[in-house]
Amino acid sequence: MADVKRQRSKNKSVISPYLLVILSFVAIIFIGAVLLYTPPFRNSGDWGDSFMDDLFTAVSATCVTGLVSYADGIVAIYNFWGQLVILIMIEVGGISFITLLTFVVTLFRRRMQMRNRYLLAQAVNANSMGTMVRYVRNIVVISLTIELIGAILLFPVFYLMYPGDLSSAIWTSIFQSVSSFCNAGFDILGNTSYIRGLGGIIDSIANWAYIYLQFVTMFLIVIGGISFLVLTDLFTFKKTRRRNRVLNKIIMCTSGVLLAGGFAIFLLTDCLGGNMTVMQCLFQSVTCRTAGFATYSQDQITMSGRVISCILMFIGGSPLSTAGGIKVTTIYLIALAIVRTLQGKKIESFDRKYSDKSVIRAMMLIILSVIIIIIGFIAVDSFERAASGITPETADEVEEISASNILFEVFSAFGTCGLSTGITPTLSTGSKITLCIVMFLGRIGPVTVFQVFNRDLNKEEDSHYDVVEANILIG
């Protein structure tokens, strides 16, 4: 009995892998924020005017979101070293600090205790401790390889953008490649992103180079939004190792449908019914998958287009990828359950059946996510009303941020997308803190946070009896 109690006490003292992930993100965010606040990392050479803005930037970078609280963009505030800190946070946030830590430890062939190996295997979602090292190395090597290829492909465009300035062309190519692959949405081109006609440096390149830049960026966004499990299978040429065929099919099919469907709807709502070009409709469909780059001003999108953008940002990319959102597998499972239930059939596809527990977890994730967005919207709207001094008597005199812009911002924060109608720099401190929390929850995942406080979430109830099943009225 004493041994059992000792073992239980030992198990309770072991840190949860979910808590380990959360703490790693928090540590990176605060270290990055402090560095960005200090003079060596700023163009001015002075301390930052507001630590809140640097903290917001650190959260946005680590959560690979792309929302910026500076009206002129990060390039106007941070020098090369500050931009490097942001790039490192993007890389760490995209690939995961735990994955990088495991890679570094195993790279130098450091021995780990069995408990630590088990903990890290759970944190990186490896199938077993034996496959953890190979899995982690594949993630890091494949990610860095794709980012290097992306930088090489982008270099000609930025060399034309910065003629004679080789160092700026190389650095911009690297930064944009990493930001695109990690679905971060940060750029060092000013405050116009990829939107032409606003007087930004993006206007200086030829049309062919601009179109080429968009296609390379979209390629990196889509690759980054695909699960690392899919990438490792695609880059593993031994067929015996391809164990995720069903997951790969679900991810590829659902992602293709969402990209094509989003493109078609934007053609209807904002090309035929607005001022978007066909190319801008395609880019909007891709970037809403939590990337955050823009070729069209988001405040000019039609209301229907905003609704579709919010839905795409909410869904996001694939699990175990650099993208955010509730993930395509979640929406696939819910859609499949609805269709199969209406047909009176079991929940199955691709010669596989899916448990009721998986469907319930997917529903729980969606409900928790909607609750977070609603609370975030109410909080930001309340903070902005208080900051602007709006009262029933002054409602007609004081200009306020529209509810649709606030809701769009909250959806973008939760989906770690980074698209904005331009209100981010004008938000109050309370609203920025709220968006930081929403970004953090969106990147970590509400279920992950819940598992820190409830370790029984994945356990099956072990009882020797059952109760009578009841049917209740629905609808």
Side-chain angles (χ1 to χ4, degrees):
M1 182 62 70
D3 293 337
V4 173
K5 290 183 178 180
R6 191 180 300 109
Q7 183 64 34
R8 288 179 177 176
S9 177
K10 184 178 180 180
N11 290 338
K12 289 182 179 179
S13 64
V14 177
I15 186 173
S16 165
Y18 306 106
L19 181 59
L20 180 64
V21 171
I22 292 175
L23 292 178
S24 68
F25 269 83
V26 171
I28 295 298
I29 286 170
F30 276 98
I31 292 173
V34 171
L35 291 177
L36 294 177
Y37 185 69
T38 57
F41 300 90
R42 307 179 69 88
N43 290 328
S44 63
D46 298 323
W47 294 88
D49 296 329
S50 171
F51 181 73
M52 183 65 239
D53 289 326
D54 297 303
L55 177 61
F56 188 92
T57 303
V59 173
S60 184
T62 307
C63 297
V64 289
T65 303
L67 290 175
V68 178
S69 60
Y70 296 107
D72 296 325
I74 61 173
V75 70
I77 304 298
Y78 304 111
N79 58 24
F80 167 78
W81 299 109
Q83 295 169 25
L84 180 61
V85 170
I86 292 175
L87 188 69
I88 292 173
M89 288 190 289
I90 291 173
E91 190 76 86
V92 170
I95 298 180
S96 169
F97 174 73
I98 302 301
T99 301
L100 293 174
L101 174 64
T102 306
F103 175 77
V104 172
V105 171
T106 58
L107 183 66
F108 292 99
R109 302 186 182 278
R110 295 286 301 275
R111 290 184 175 274
M112 291 185 291
Q113 297 180 357
M114 185 63 67
R115 184 182 67 179
N116 294 334
R117 289 177 65 89
Y118 173 73
L119 185 64
L120 291 175
Q122 283 191 306
V124 302
N125 204 34
N127 293 329
S128 66
M129 289 184 287
T131 62
M132 178 190 66
V133 175
R134 182 174 67 249
Y135 173 68
V136 167
R137 288 181 178 178
N138 285 340
I139 289 178
V140 176
V141 171
I142 291 173
S143 299
L144 295 180
T145 301
I146 294 175
E147 290 169 351
L148 177 60
I149 294 173
I152 295 173
L153 293 176
L154 290 172
F155 175 76
V157 175
F158 294 116
Y159 186 72
L160 293 175
M161 189 178 293
Y162 301 100
D165 192 350
L166 184 62
S167 59
S168 294
I170 293 175
W171 171 240
T172 306
S173 302
I174 295 173
F175 191 99
Q176 297 302 124
S177 177
V178 173
S179 183
S180 300
F181 175 77
C182 292
N183 281 217
F186 277 90
D187 66 78
I188 50 176
L189 305 177
N191 61 348
T192 62
S193 190
Y194 288 172
I195 305 173
R196 304 192 79 174
L198 298 181
I201 195 172
I202 197 74
D203 293 341
S204 64
I205 59 176
N207 287 332
W208 70 264
Y210 181 58
I211 294 173
Y212 173 79
L213 170 64
Q214 292 178 73
F215 274 112
V216 174
T217 302
M218 286 190 290
F219 166 75
L220 291 172
I221 291 171
V222 172
I223 292 296
I226 295 177
S227 174
F228 287 122
L229 292 175
V230 177
L231 292 179
T232 53
D233 276 1
L234 291 176
F235 282 84
T236 301
F237 298 100
K238 294 183 179 180
K239 294 183 179 180
T240 55
R241 291 185 180 180
R242 297 183 181 180
R243 301 177 178 177
N244 304 297
R245 292 185 181 274
V246 174
L247 177 64
N248 295 352
K249 291 178 181 178
I250 292 175
I251 289 174
M252 300 300 286
C253 291
T254 310
S255 299
V257 168
L258 289 173
L259 289 173
F263 172 59
I265 296 175
F266 284 125
L267 282 176
L268 178 64
T269 61
D270 287 83
C271 185
L272 297 178
N275 298 317
M276 267 192 187
T277 64
V278 174
M279 188 66 184
Q280 287 171 333
C281 290
L282 177 60
F283 195 92
Q284 182 74 14
S285 180
V286 174
T287 196
C288 282
R289 307 300 306 286
T290 80
F293 296 103
T295 58
Y296 189 82
S297 296
Q298 301 301 299
D299 60 339
Q300 300 298 320
I301 296 179
T302 63
M303 186 57 66
S304 300
R306 286 195 188 189
V307 172
I308 299 304
S309 297
C310 288
I311 293 174
L312 291 176
M313 290 189 293
F314 182 71
I315 296 173
S318 306
L320 292 177
S321 72
T322 62
I326 62 171
K327 306 301 187 295
V328 296
T329 49
T330 302
I331 202 67
Y332 173 84
L333 194 57
I334 294 298
L336 178 67
I338 293 174
V339 172
R340 302 295 286 185
T341 301
L342 291 175
Q343 294 174 342
K345 298 179 180 180
K346 295 180 179 179
I347 305 174
E348 56 186 26
S349 66
F350 299 113
D351 298 325
R352 295 290 189 275
K353 65 178 181 179
Y354 309 99
S355 66
D356 294 338
K357 186 175 181 179
S358 297
V359 177
I360 292 174
R361 285 175 60 88
M363 293 174 60
M364 178 180 67
L365 173 59
I366 291 177
I367 293 173
L368 290 176
S369 301
V370 170
I371 291 174
I372 291 172
I373 290 174
I374 292 174
I375 294 175
F377 168 74
I378 294 174
V380 173
D381 184 62
S382 301
F383 282 126
E384 292 311 301
R385 284 180 171 274
S388 60
I390 295 179
T391 63
E393 293 77 17
T394 62
D396 297 331
E397 303 174 3
V398 180
E399 183 179 354
E400 63 176 314
I401 301 175
S402 67
S404 63
N405 286 349
I406 293 176
L407 188 61
F408 189 90
E409 196 88 359
V410 175
F411 265 101
S412 180
F414 179 80
T416 67
C417 183
L419 290 175
S420 175
T421 56
I423 67 172
T424 313
T426 66
L427 295 176
S428 62
T429 300
S431 296
K432 290 178 181 178
I433 293 174
T434 302
L435 290 180
C436 284
I437 297 173
V438 173
M439 286 189 286
F440 187 81
L441 293 176
R443 181 55 184 159
I444 299 296
V447 175
T448 300
V449 177
F450 187 76
Q451 285 173 319
V452 172
F453 304 100
N454 182 18
R455 296 191 178 187
D456 297 329
L457 182 63
N458 295 319
K459 293 181 180 180
E460 294 287 348
E461 184 179 3
D462 185 16
S463 61
H464 301 286
Y465 64 92
D466 200 357
V467 297
V468 177
E469 182 178 302
N471 292 319
I472 62 173
L473 294 176
I474 300 295

